[in-house]
Amino acid sequence: DGMNVLFIVVDDLRPVLGCYGDKLVKSPNIDQLASQSIVFSNAYAQQAVCAPSRVSFLTGRRPDTTRLYDFYSYWRVHAGNYSTMPQYFKENGYMTLSVGKVFHPGVSSNHSDDYPYSWSIPPFHPSAEKYENDKTCRGKDGKLYANLVCPVDVTEMPGGTLPDIQSTEEAIRLLSIMKSNRQKFFLAVGYHKPHIPLRYPQEFLKLYPLENITLAPDPWVPKKLPPVAYNPWTDIRQRDDVAALNVSFPYGPLPDDFQRQIRQSYYAAVSYLDVQVGLLLNALDNVGLSNNTIVVFTADHGWSLGEHGEWAKYSNFDVATRVPLMFYVPGMTTFPVSQGARVFPYLDPFSHIGGSAPQGQSKKVVELVSLFPTLAELVGLQVPPVCPEASFGVVLCTEGTSIVHYFNVSEEKVEEGKERCDDSDRCFNEEPVAFSQYPRPADTPQWNSDKPKLKDIRIMGYSMRTIDYRYTVWVQFDPNNFSANFEDVHAGELYMMETDPNQDHNIYNSTSHGWFFKKILG
């Protein structure tokens, strides 16, 4: 009675996946999930940093409403006592379970991952997590370092394991308990990789010979990029291997060979992640629950791999804000499988050849803030109402909208850009837009530009992505009353996707953009 939910959220994963057209990556298990899912090719996070993004999509509210732009406040105390997606499922009879990094741990989730509000039992964190930034990377000299690029022998790691391996084991254990309990569940599994340090079992390097690794297509800082928009990747500079390179702050490029190593390790970490996802989905098959469990797969934001001379997230570009997003809904995105048939047999990335195309693909622009209402609709719960303009006192509402109406991808080859209107509710005059934002402490790159604390924020970059363009304005921001002053514009960016898909040529200053401005204010 009612579907279960398996919600998989990955840390810092941009859509470098076979199902998104990446030719280099080996991601057979995620691609297999995509082959049974509706895949959104234009999905965007609300802020390209962990805690604000996660609190945003788990509450269904934007960062200006959660008032979290850093890591140091708990929204229930700081903004409003908002219900979360898992809390709503829990209040509607689901057993809610959290494994790994779902909420960002620490102050932003009250040092408890929002337990007991959101979860039926205390969340699980892998014991190996505490060694993430330790000196566990063996250098060429045989000594141990805290490096960015960190392929390891897992048997030499503390406890002989890695956090994501532990999370998979725990999630599989919980699935078998859920099977015997016969209770509806909402199981959230948060994977760490490919978050830095890029620490993963060293055998995954074999999948990516260095000679096959290219640089980013645009590894330079664009000429017309406003300095406020640049992310100076401070956290990466602090890793031992990067610090040894003495790269000048803020714009000095990393050496080409090291850029290739970072890209190689990011890909290797993605394949290691793919194995974890494969084992987890295979376990869903093993306990016989693939036929009545919705699987959602997404990430909290993307990650720059040298594009625009940037690394890490911390920006409003597509490489930082765009995420994979797919929904497997038995009987909706795929035909129900006969009892006992396998939907997700495990695929070994070292031997599996050939890709699998997505079951359905939507190019509609969507936002992670829409996850909450979408999942509520998919399982048949009442969809939370849309929030009023000021919703600080409203416990249950959402600033996203359900995207279930995009699931029917047969769209009968509707003329480009024209919506087919079956009924007035589904008739959208406005093209879909995704909003993201990023705070900065100053107009030029500072040591804290990537992660300014609330009190240091002086400028907010509000960014709007449609299918045709990305438009960003950097405006004066007052952290004392959380207000943006759109009369005081410090800089702007405008990129047209058709002619400039990598967002390298900012035409803001050569365009009349009153129309965009009205829309962003609207």
Side-chain angles (χ1 to χ4, degrees):
D1 185 22
M3 290 267 187
N4 305 309
V5 176
L6 173 57
F7 180 76
I8 304 171
V9 57
V10 184
D11 215 346
D12 291 19
L13 178 66
R14 58 191 262 161
V16 292
L17 298 165
C19 52
Y20 278 85
D22 191 288
K23 299 285 187 278
L24 182 65
V25 78
K26 305 269 192 300
S27 54
N29 293 290
I30 298 168
D31 297 345
Q32 176 173 253
L33 172 63
S35 75
Q36 307 286 325
S37 301
I38 168 89
V39 173
F40 286 89
S41 52
N42 283 303
Y44 294 90
Q46 273 47 78
Q47 190 181 325
V49 71
C50 307
S53 173
R54 289 161 187 266
V55 168
S56 171
F57 67 68
L58 288 163
T59 60
R61 315 217 193 186
R62 301 181 186 280
D64 279 347
T65 307
T66 64
R67 294 186 160 173
L68 181 70
Y69 316 104
D70 58 17
F71 298 80
Y72 308 107
S73 62
Y74 179 41
W75 78 92
R76 291 186 191 273
V77 174
H78 180 72
N81 188 23
Y82 313 143
S83 290
T84 68
M85 173 165 56
Q87 178 182 357
Y88 189 58
F89 276 77
K90 183 182 168 197
E91 287 164 356
N92 282 280
Y94 281 74
M95 179 88 171
T96 57
L97 307 156
S98 172
V99 171
K101 185 174 175 182
V102 180
F103 277 102
H104 193 282
V107 180
S108 61
S109 57
N110 203 31
H111 298 284
S112 66
D113 292 349
D114 198 45
Y115 172 80
Y117 295 99
S118 288
W119 311 108
S120 304
I121 60 173
F124 169 86
H125 282 280
S127 60
E129 203 175 277
K130 57 180 170 289
Y131 308 112
E132 266 298 88
N133 294 308
D134 287 8
K135 297 189 173 193
T136 53
C137 322
R138 203 165 288 291
K140 289 194 173 74
D141 58 6
K143 293 183 184 153
L144 292 176
Y145 294 91
N147 285 344
L148 169 63
V149 173
C150 187
V152 296
D153 176 344
V154 177
T155 61
E156 290 182 354
M157 290 300 100
T161 188
L162 289 171
D164 286 344
I165 295 172
Q166 290 183 293
S167 291
T168 302
E169 289 163 353
E170 175 66 7
I172 290 172
R173 188 184 76 83
L174 289 172
L175 282 176
S176 53
I177 293 172
M178 288 299 101
K179 166 71 176 169
S180 48
N181 273 8
R182 300 192 149 187
Q183 189 184 356
K184 281 189 303 191
F185 64 83
F186 177 105
L187 168 59
V189 182
Y191 285 116
H192 281 255
K193 292 303 127 197
H195 192 289
I196 64 171
L198 296 168
R199 187 170 73 129
Y200 54 87
Q202 60 200 19
E203 57 270 23
F204 286 92
L205 273 177
K206 289 195 205 91
L207 295 171
Y208 303 102
L210 208 48
E211 59 269 23
N212 294 353
I213 306 294
T214 57
L215 298 180
D218 51 351
W220 59 85
V221 180
K223 281 195 183 67
K224 294 187 178 170
L225 182 70
V228 69
Y230 182 74
N231 121 50
W233 35 283
T234 311
D235 58 349
I236 286 180
R237 296 169 190 277
Q238 290 158 1
R239 309 285 161 166
D240 291 347
D241 49 354
V242 182
L245 297 168
N246 283 325
V247 180
S248 65
F249 184 91
Y251 296 115
L254 288 169
D256 287 4
D257 61 335
F258 194 75
Q259 292 194 34
R260 284 194 180 87
Q261 284 176 42
I262 298 176
R263 288 168 68 90
Q264 175 193 39
S265 273
Y266 187 90
Y267 274 85
V270 171
S271 290
Y272 159 58
L273 161 77
D274 182 77
V275 164
Q276 304 311 313
V277 173
L279 293 169
L280 177 60
L281 293 174
N282 186 53
L284 194 66
D285 267 357
N286 289 344
V287 292
L289 292 172
S290 302
N291 235 346
N292 60 346
T293 301
I294 291 167
V295 181
V296 188
F297 178 90
T298 192
D300 54 358
H301 44 71
W303 214 79
S304 303
L305 283 167
E307 294 87 0
H308 315 114
E310 296 187 336
W311 302 88
K313 46 250 186 180
Y314 316 127
S315 85
N316 279 321
F317 282 120
D318 271 28
V319 280
T321 55
R322 183 170 166 244
V323 292
L325 177 63
M326 60 190 81
F327 296 83
Y328 160 76
V329 188
M332 186 179 193
T333 62
T334 171
F335 297 111
V337 189
S338 54
Q339 208 48 46
R342 300 194 72 79
V343 185
F344 303 119
Y346 173 74
L347 303 173
D348 181 350
F350 291 92
S351 56
H352 182 76
I353 300 194
S356 33
Q359 175 61 32
Q361 199 150 16
S362 172
K363 291 192 169 140
K364 296 287 185 207
V365 171
V366 296
E367 311 177 275
L368 290 188
V369 81
S370 293
L371 278 168
F372 187 170
T374 302
L375 273 172
E377 181 174 344
L378 285 173
V379 299
L381 295 178
Q382 193 166 357
V383 177
V386 174
C387 291
E389 197 157 322
S391 62
F392 295 105
V394 183
V395 171
L396 180 68
C397 68
T398 171
E399 294 179 326
T401 49
S402 169
I403 57 175
V404 174
H405 55 272
Y406 293 151
F407 279 37
N408 179 13
V409 216
S410 59
E411 286 177 33
E412 293 164 17
K413 294 284 176 268
V414 191
E415 266 184 71
E416 269 307 301
K418 292 218 175 92
E419 294 281 359
R420 192 180 72 223
C421 294
D422 300 331
D423 59 62
S424 55
D425 286 346
R426 294 187 177 183
C427 190
F428 300 94
N429 303 325
E430 288 288 310
E431 58 183 323
V433 177
F435 291 98
S436 304
Q437 60 189 102
Y438 211 86
R440 294 283 189 235
D443 285 302
T444 54
Q446 311 293 314
W447 66 271
N448 64 338
S449 284
D450 294 345
K451 293 187 281 193
K453 292 187 171 171
L454 175 63
K455 66 178 176 51
D456 298 321
I457 297 171
R458 294 293 173 270
I459 301 163
M460 188 69 75
Y462 289 93
S463 195
M464 187 169 104
R465 175 68 155 86
T466 72
I467 202 73
D468 297 321
Y469 59 82
R470 178 174 284 290
Y471 176 72
T472 305
V473 284
W474 297 89
V475 301
Q476 189 265 332
F477 184 84
D478 183 344
N480 299 308
N481 59 8
F482 304 93
S483 67
N485 179 4
F486 282 85
E487 304 287 298
D488 184 0
V489 177
H490 289 230
E493 297 168 80
L494 176 59
Y495 306 100
M496 304 313 287
M497 300 313 300
E498 195 177 348
T499 52
D500 183 21
N502 297 329
Q503 301 168 11
D504 294 321
H505 304 288
N506 178 14
I507 60 167
Y508 179 88
N509 286 335
S510 50
T511 313
S512 133
H513 31 79
W515 176 79
F516 293 102
F517 204 66
K518 279 197 198 72
K519 193 150 179 177
I520 210 164
L521 280 169

